[in-house]
Amino acid sequence: MTSTSPEDVGSGENAAPGSAPDTVMLPVTGMSCAACARTIEFTLKDVPGVRDASVNYATGRATVAFDPSVVTPPALVEAVRSVGYDVLSADSGPGGAEAGIDALPEELAIEDAERRAQEAEYRALRVKLAVAAGLSIPILVISMAHLSFPGVNWIQLGLAVPVVAFAGSRFYRGAWASLRHRNADMNTLIALGTGAAFTYSAAVTLAPSLVAHAGPIAAAAPHAPPAVYFEVAAAIITLVLLGRTLESRARGRSAEAIRRLIQLQPRTARVVRGGMEIDVPIARVVSGDVVIVRPGERIPVDGAVIDGVSVVDESMLTGESLPVDKEPGAPVFGGTINRTGSFSFSATRVGRDTVLYRIVRLVQQAQASRAPIARLADVISGYFTPAVIVAAILTFVVWYNLAPPDSRLTLALASFVAVMIIACPCAMGLATPTAILVATGRGAEKGILFRGGEVLERAGKVRTVVLDKTGTITTGRPEVTDVVPAAAFAPAGAESPGDALLRIAASAEQRSEHPLGEAIVRAASARGAALAPAAAFEALPGRGIAAEVDGQLALIGNARLMAERGVDVAPIAPEADRLSALARTVMFVAVGGAPGAAPPKAAGVIGLADTPRPEAAAAVRRLRGLGLDLVMITGDNRATADSIASLVAPHGEIGRVIAGVLPDRKAEEVRALQASGRVVAMVGDGINDAPALAQADVGLALGSGTDVAIEAADITLMRSDLDGVASAITLSQRTLVIIRQNLFWAFFYNTLGIPVAAGILYPWTGWLLNPMLAAAAMSFSSVSVLVNSLRLRRA
């Protein structure tokens, strides 16, 4: 499945019918509630050629899978506009048509347009809120003080008209658009409730003789003006606008993580063309360009260093705070920051191929997707608004027929409006997507990429974690663990026998490409050893190497090499056996006279092993502290597996060790755990563990921004840090808790609020829910869901 922009007009004209669907993500504007999102979703699904559509109210994005041979993105845009909403495009942002040339520039343009639209909406809401609040306060004073004087109703009408016509216009326009398409949404409820109160009050004011006196004022003072409810309409519009304003601000904050990711892409790049350095728009950089990066600049695209050295801050990619040294041949990634020196690199991946773009798309897809827990809210919300309208009408009819004549209109109208307002399902639509939006954004900031809302939910239910050993628990490369010189080995000079043994072995291995030889050279360099030049180097496949160091023959290899060259290893055999028992790889070192003379003598042994990651033990303890069952799986032998397990889990935190398992059998082991009823997470390196990652309920890949790591699993940990597994699961668990809390506020609040608003308590307590309080409570419900979701930003 591919990704398409709204401007890719006719991108599938030549596609064959029934071909794989394309996917387009449309940034929709004008939505005011979850019901709006459902209206757009149903409209898109009705378009011929659309395979599936999902609209996320919290993010303002519609994700559509479509057959490009049947329908094009512009046709989808027109479908959205046909129901009264709009779609932003790259043309709305800076750059115009040029912005569509490449992937991230287009994202930047659309992001700019979305940000400006959101800021404009927030400003407009603040202006309307200020007008509504300023005019509603005197209406409320008149109403609550029961002021009665000639022309009082005309004053209230004059104050209420701007509130309804200007501040509340968005609700009436939205309701009319829904009515034209035979839909009902939150705007419908607000428009009917406030419209009923305002229309009745205006009729009483303009033609009082046509409206019979009713209500407590008429009963107490027969010559008083007829009762009006301007304060109900004005206050409800004001309170709902307050909720919308707070909601708009909170939604802007919740989307900040993805906005920061997109804005990491520089707008220009300095490239070498025709022997000159020139600045070009990022969309004009092509693979193979030589790009110059100066200190303090962001790297524009992915590539490989060809000249110069520097230190690069890759925290935006991996979450790792320590900068990374870069020298010729080292990879660099777009969006990271060059800290010190200047260097040039060859662009290898641009546009849609860069790691940054793929991360952005992955996070956007995760935020746009639905978690299974959201399906219940979707089903209920789809029937909720019509049911509320019916309930409100029934409430009016019941009260008008059963209440005493002197108060029946008051009770009927007030209860009708209260039911319409308090039952607005906005909080239901926000309950799940806002939590997913914030959680996936927070995860991206910390280098944890969730593939979708469904993954986020499943990860919170994991009870068993399978950890691959090599490259996951361990570093994935051998390291020197032991240097044991023979008792008879006596180096010349002031060197200690151990340092001298390691220096000689490393000097001989300098020209070796074998991982064990490279590990010996790294260990010697870490100790500051001054390596001597090696002559007469000879690689002996399957046995080791031979070389001349300091005028002496040096042999480094296994027992077979020593036997072939007549080296007596008896003096160091006990140490070799001890290291073997500890699951070390043993390298014998022999040093002798000049080549061709007597056999060299055993100088000592060097033990090597794939050592645990520095954070592995703490990460294992943290995972066990979450109540998770831990299983380690490896293709290594039992002794090596048990040795690693004892190092990272000395107190038995890893409950089971499965050794000697080939890659193709790892998936079978995961399947066996699932068959016992467990929700299983598999943690691997994203390459040879791919079958097991796919089989697991949740696959987590440790990587450093590589293609395979991003594509291999449900969750990608951009930092090669095992502690990220616990962080991902903890974030998922907290997100599930937040979603359940949100749904409680949404479902139970409305379920309990509707009967109270209908006046079920009035016959026994005389208490009737004031419509203004209903509006305040409805707004509080939506804002509480948003604020509760924003707590995940501190996770």
Side-chain angles (χ1 to χ4, degrees):
M1 185 174 289
T2 60
S3 179
T4 311
S5 76
E7 287 68 44
D8 291 335
V9 180
S11 60
E13 289 178 355
N14 299 321
S19 59
D22 280 357
T23 298
V24 64
M25 193 173 291
L26 306 175
V28 181
T29 62
M31 289 192 292
S32 59
C33 67
C36 299
R38 287 195 302 276
T39 298
I40 299 170
E41 189 172 296
F42 293 152
T43 301
L44 288 169
K45 286 181 177 178
D46 286 340
V47 175
V50 171
R51 306 285 182 85
D52 191 23
S54 176
V55 181
N56 190 317
Y57 170 51
T59 61
R61 296 276 179 127
T63 304
V64 189
F66 64 98
D67 185 343
S69 65
V70 179
V71 64
T72 61
L76 299 176
V77 172
E78 287 306 312
V80 173
R81 290 172 177 163
S82 71
V83 287
Y85 304 94
D86 201 4
V87 177
L88 293 173
S89 68
D91 293 335
S92 306
E98 182 182 290
I101 292 174
D102 221 334
L104 268 174
E106 178 190 327
E107 290 288 339
L108 287 166
I110 293 177
E111 176 61 29
D112 283 345
E114 283 187 298
R115 177 178 51 80
R116 289 197 303 273
Q118 192 173 64
E119 290 174 352
E121 180 187 23
Y122 179 62
R123 289 194 300 269
L125 283 169
R126 288 181 60 183
V127 170
K128 292 189 174 185
L129 175 61
V131 171
L135 297 178
S136 297
I137 290 174
I139 300 176
L140 287 170
V141 170
I142 292 172
S143 172
M144 297 177 68
H146 300 293
L147 299 179
S148 178
F149 53 85
V152 64
N153 286 355
W154 286 94
I155 292 175
Q156 293 184 77
L157 174 62
L159 293 171
V161 166
V163 176
V164 174
F166 171 69
S169 59
R170 60 188 293 130
F171 305 125
Y172 300 103
R173 285 199 305 268
W176 173 245
S178 295
L179 179 63
R180 285 191 298 111
H181 294 91
R182 297 185 296 278
N183 292 315
D185 57 17
M186 181 180 174
N187 292 316
T188 307
L189 300 180
I190 296 173
L192 285 176
T194 59
F198 178 82
T199 301
Y200 170 79
S201 302
V204 168
T205 303
L206 297 172
S209 61
L210 300 179
V211 182
H213 286 228
I217 295 180
H223 300 291
V228 293
Y229 303 99
F230 290 118
E231 80 282 0
V232 172
I236 287 173
I237 289 174
T238 301
L239 289 169
V240 174
L241 282 174
L242 174 62
R244 290 281 179 87
T245 304
L246 295 174
E247 179 184 316
S248 177
R249 183 180 180 186
R251 286 173 64 189
R253 290 174 60 198
S254 64
E256 190 62 30
I258 188 68
R259 183 175 296 122
R260 285 198 297 265
L261 273 176
I262 293 175
Q263 291 175 344
L264 290 174
Q265 175 77 41
R267 296 300 181 97
T268 62
R270 173 158 293 211
V271 300
V272 178
R273 290 182 181 170
M276 299 177 60
E277 295 183 11
I278 59 173
D279 290 330
V280 301
I282 192 68
R284 301 294 185 186
V285 179
V286 297
S287 181
D289 271 343
V290 175
V291 184
I292 307 298
V293 183
R294 292 165 292 194
E297 293 182 338
R298 285 194 181 274
I299 297 171
V301 295
D302 296 359
V305 177
I306 55 178
D307 183 55
V309 295
S310 185
V311 175
V312 176
D313 179 358
E314 296 184 346
S315 59
M316 54 72 56
L317 186 69
T318 65
E320 176 60 62
S321 59
L322 295 178
V324 181
D325 293 332
K326 298 295 180 181
E327 56 187 18
V332 291
F333 303 98
T336 57
I337 302 174
N338 180 32
R339 288 298 187 194
T340 55
S342 177
F343 64 89
S344 61
F345 71 93
S346 174
T348 57
R349 292 182 294 190
V350 299
R352 296 182 188 276
D353 295 330
T354 63
V355 170
L356 175 60
Y357 176 78
R358 297 174 72 177
I359 291 174
V360 167
R361 297 298 292 177
L362 194 62
V363 176
Q364 286 178 335
Q365 290 166 8
Q367 293 181 343
S369 65
R370 280 201 181 101
I373 198 171
R375 292 170 188 163
L376 177 62
D378 291 338
V379 172
I380 293 178
S381 297
Y383 298 98
F384 198 77
T385 299
V388 168
I389 294 174
V390 172
I393 293 172
L394 289 175
T395 298
F396 182 89
V397 171
V398 169
W399 277 114
Y400 193 82
N401 285 281
L402 298 183
D406 64 337
S407 61
R408 63 184 181 184
L409 185 58
T410 301
L411 292 175
L413 185 60
S415 299
F416 171 83
V417 175
V419 170
M420 295 287 285
I421 299 304
I422 201 169
C424 288
C426 189
M428 291 185 191
L430 291 170
T432 300
T434 51
I436 292 175
L437 171 68
V438 178
T440 51
R442 178 61 173 169
E445 289 178 352
K446 296 299 180 182
I448 302 170
L449 303 181
F450 293 90
R451 193 166 290 278
E454 184 177 355
V455 172
L456 190 65
E457 180 176 338
R458 285 204 311 269
K461 298 177 180 178
V462 166
R463 291 296 173 264
T464 300
V465 178
V466 179
L467 301 167
D468 178 56
K469 180 187 76 69
T470 305
T472 302
I473 292 179
T474 65
T475 60
R477 67 177 188 178
E479 300 290 348
V480 172
T481 57
D482 305 88
V483 179
V484 184
F489 179 64
E495 274 186 304
S496 69
D499 288 344
L501 179 67
L502 184 61
R503 181 184 62 81
I504 292 172
S507 297
E509 294 278 9
Q510 285 181 93
R511 294 169 58 185
S512 172
E513 296 180 353
H514 195 282
L516 296 179
E518 292 175 350
I520 291 173
V521 173
R522 283 198 307 272
S525 298
R527 294 193 186 188
L531 303 186
F537 175 85
E538 182 182 8
L540 306 168
R543 290 161 292 171
I545 61 108
E548 185 178 341
V549 177
D550 294 336
Q552 300 185 87
L553 176 63
L555 299 175
I556 299 94
N558 54 25
R560 179 184 171 188
L561 174 62
M562 298 297 117
E564 287 180 356
R565 295 300 179 97
V567 178
D568 181 12
V569 297
I572 54 176
E575 287 297 330
D577 294 339
R578 180 182 67 83
L579 294 178
S580 296
L582 294 175
R584 306 285 197 265
T585 298
V586 177
M587 299 282 284
F588 292 90
V589 181
V591 179
K601 295 185 177 180
V605 290
I606 297 176
L608 300 99
D610 183 8
T611 57
R613 294 177 178 274
E615 79 286 352
V620 166
R621 288 195 301 271
R622 186 179 172 197
L623 287 168
R624 193 69 188 94
L626 294 175
L628 303 172
D629 296 327
L630 303 183
V631 178
M632 187 179 82
I633 191 167
T634 179
D636 280 343
N637 58 59
R638 170 62 60 177
T640 300
D642 288 341
S643 174
I644 293 296
S646 65
L647 288 174
V648 299
H651 304 294
E653 291 90 348
I654 296 179
R656 182 183 175 194
V657 176
I658 305 175
V661 179
L662 297 177
D664 58 346
R665 282 192 52 222
K666 290 182 180 179
E668 296 178 13
E669 294 292 344
V670 171
R671 193 178 299 112
L673 290 170
Q674 291 171 319
S676 64
R678 305 184 188 187
V679 179
V680 179
M682 172 69 192
V683 186
D685 60 15
I687 302 174
N688 63 341
D689 298 313
L693 290 170
Q695 176 61 42
D697 296 288
V698 179
L700 297 97
L702 272 69
S704 300
T706 63
D707 293 342
V708 177
I710 292 176
E711 298 295 339
D714 301 308
I715 301 174
T716 300
L717 305 176
M718 302 305 291
R719 290 179 62 179
S720 295
D721 187 338
L722 191 60
D723 196 51
V725 178
S727 297
I729 293 175
T730 301
L731 179 59
S732 301
Q733 291 175 342
R734 291 192 62 180
T735 303
L736 279 180
V737 170
I738 293 293
I739 290 175
R740 292 189 182 106
Q741 292 172 349
N742 288 349
L743 290 174
F744 171 82
W745 278 106
F747 286 132
F748 289 94
Y749 168 84
N750 282 341
T751 301
L752 296 175
I754 291 175
V756 174
I760 195 172
L761 300 178
Y762 184 79
W764 297 278
T765 65
W767 190 79
L768 192 67
L769 182 63
N770 189 301
M772 290 181 287
L773 294 178
M778 182 274 296
S779 297
F780 173 76
S781 177
S782 298
V783 173
S784 67
V785 164
L786 283 162
V787 172
N788 194 41
S789 297
L790 287 172
R791 293 197 299 132
L792 288 167
R793 295 182 68 190
R794 299 190 298 272

